[in-house]
Amino acid sequence: MDKKKFVAVIGGGQPSPQEANLAEAVGRELAMRGAILVCGGLGGVMEAACKGAQSEGGVTIGILPGESRQAANPYVQIPIVTGIGNARNVAVVKSAQAVIAIGGSYGTLSEIGHALRSGIPVIGLNTWSLSRNGQQDNSIILAQNATEAVNKALNLAKHQ
Amino acid sequence: MDKKKFVAVIGGGQPSPQEANLAEAVGRELAMRGAILVCGGLGGVMEAACKGAQSEGGVTIGILPGESRQAANPYVQIPIVTGIGNARNVAVVKSAQAVIAIGGSYGTLSEIGHALRSGIPVIGLNTWSLSRNGQQDNSIILAQNATEAVNKALNLAKHQ
Amino acid sequence: MDKKKFVAVIGGGQPSPQEANLAEAVGRELAMRGAILVCGGLGGVMEAACKGAQSEGGVTIGILPGESRQAANPYVQIPIVTGIGNARNVAVVKSAQAVIAIGGSYGTLSEIGHALRSGIPVIGLNTWSLSRNGQQDNSIILAQNATEAVNKALNLAKHQ
Amino acid sequence: MDKKKFVAVIGGGQPSPQEANLAEAVGRELAMRGAILVCGGLGGVMEAACKGAQSEGGVTIGILPGESRQAANPYVQIPIVTGIGNARNVAVVKSAQAVIAIGGSYGTLSEIGHALRSGIPVIGLNTWSLSRNGQQDNSIILAQNATEAVNKALNLAKHQ
């Protein structure tokens, strides 16, 4: 398993139907390509991605904020119970070699920040875009669909 | 001290001279207004803000990422040694009732995300601006100078 | 404030009356000696120690596990809101140069472990004693009363 | 995988040869019984346990303190990169339904404290024993060998 690539899928707990479909397709594609899915373990985008990955026989890891494994969505196979609340966002992205962000709100924004700070590539699907002092920041690599996002994530996956 | 307001100043470790001046002015202003300064305890914007606050007799708290209080800048009076790395960004913003962001890079972006997710107001001075799916997000409240930033922070400071 | 010594007082949320008295006396003594009190910010031993310190004009820091400063006991002047649950126990001891343990249950035991692992001296008043493989471990330095505990804490306080 | 039991093996980075043998036997036994091994991901007892588990085809999870998956021992299949230092000790025990402690020093002691505080059963092999105020605390369940430790861990594994 240690040669497999770890990719995090991040996004909100209450996605639009289109975002949920994207997340499920990303999960399926990651599993078909032999990658391991890392996520925050809860509902919404996280659950849809895990569902997709599991449907193709993939491995799913959920790094949970709370105190109980019961909070994991039903498609998480490996629940990690941190008890550290949203500080677990750091562990979600650091445990991955690339991150795919789908939609998402401020929690997702914090994860994008943590990933970029650590040099972990972030692929974006309908997610945040950033500018600083009036200048566009192009660190989030855009993708148009699930397949493109997974291709980019696996190609750019950080070695360490 | 418990009736005083706690305001976090966040920003990069390598600010431009203009950003460092802004941070120092924000620190001075916070101290003159009786607020307590919270920051990440290191250099750059954090150090300039602490220097400004201390010059006006203010209290400065530095919530450090590493294992040693020695890493605090010389103007931190109360070093908190977390040992949890960048996950301490969460504690920096949650320990404040309002946040002032000055310039900053991806670490600052993660702090903005954590603050907005927790409903803590963020005032921005030459910092990130955000849009999502092509729509501008106006959650970061803009200010033009240190006095305006501190006024807005103290007016909007979250009660709890 | 930066030349002052930081001492953590750790212990349970439901102390015996004798333990609460000890904690209050330790807090008073720390304040009289000019030390800054660090604790977990909640009730029981933490509250009694803060009450004692405040009665003598001392500074009290409470490093809270939850998401709100409202959870701090009324004698905490500087609430640090970590949101990381019991992982904040690490920050409580690392933010101090010496630790005084009074009674306490398993949370206190975890703090003793974290302190000793970091080379921070632990003074014990009616608290845990340890042995390993049948051999007594004397790392916890015993004290008979509040004054002795504070003397030992200030004498042994780690420099960094 | 979600019906499988998660068991943490904790212990020091520099075990005696006898402790390393015990850890390897515990790892083998856990894998043969279909349990998933959780540990802190580094060397010593952690590595020996992972080696044993892998030799019997078991799954091994390493919850790392640092910033890089490279620090994991070679038998960790699923590295979780937390970046939160020793605060990850909390996640190691909370991610398990039972804990087996083998030898160990103060880091292990902190993990025992965190586990007992969360109601997670701790089985001890040549590890710490505890007393409080002169009274023996029997919360650590003793075992004489690897098989007995694994039997007890699987029988007592907390449901949630």
Side-chain angles (χ1 to χ4, degrees), chain C residues 106 114 126 129 131 133 137 139, chain D residues 106 114 126 129 131 137 139:
Chain C
Y106 300 118
H114 287 299
N126 299 342
S129 67
S131 61
N133 277 334
D137 176 298
S139 301
Chain D
Y106 300 119
H114 287 298
N126 299 344
S129 66
S131 61
D137 176 298
S139 300

Side-chain angles (χ1 to χ4, degrees), chain C residues 74-99:
Chain C
Y75 309 101
V76 168
Q77 294 156 4
I78 301 186
I80 303 296
V81 182
T82 68
I84 60 170
N86 292 314
R88 75 75 154 86
N89 291 6
V90 182
V92 170
V93 299
K94 281 189 193 293
S95 295
Q97 296 162 283
V99 171

Side-chain angles (χ1 to χ4, degrees), chain C residues 40 57 69 92 103 155:
Chain C
R69 66 181 58 235
V92 170
N155 285 338

Side-chain angles (χ1 to χ4, degrees), chain A residues 85-118:
Chain A
N86 292 313
R88 75 79 154 83
N89 291 6
V90 182
V92 170
V93 300
K94 280 189 195 291
S95 295
Q97 294 163 282
V99 171
I100 299 175
I102 302 171
S105 185
Y106 300 118
T108 303
L109 181 65
S110 76
E111 291 173 313
I112 290 172
H114 286 297
L116 294 175
R117 190 187 189 302
S118 298

Side-chain angles (χ1 to χ4, degrees), chain C residues 124-146:
Chain C
L125 282 163
N126 299 342
T127 191
W128 291 98
S129 67
L130 309 171
S131 61
R132 197 165 20 164
N133 277 334
Q135 264 193 292
Q136 184 74 21
D137 176 298
N138 295 311
S139 301
I140 301 175
I141 296 150
L142 300 183
Q144 300 306 320
N145 55 55

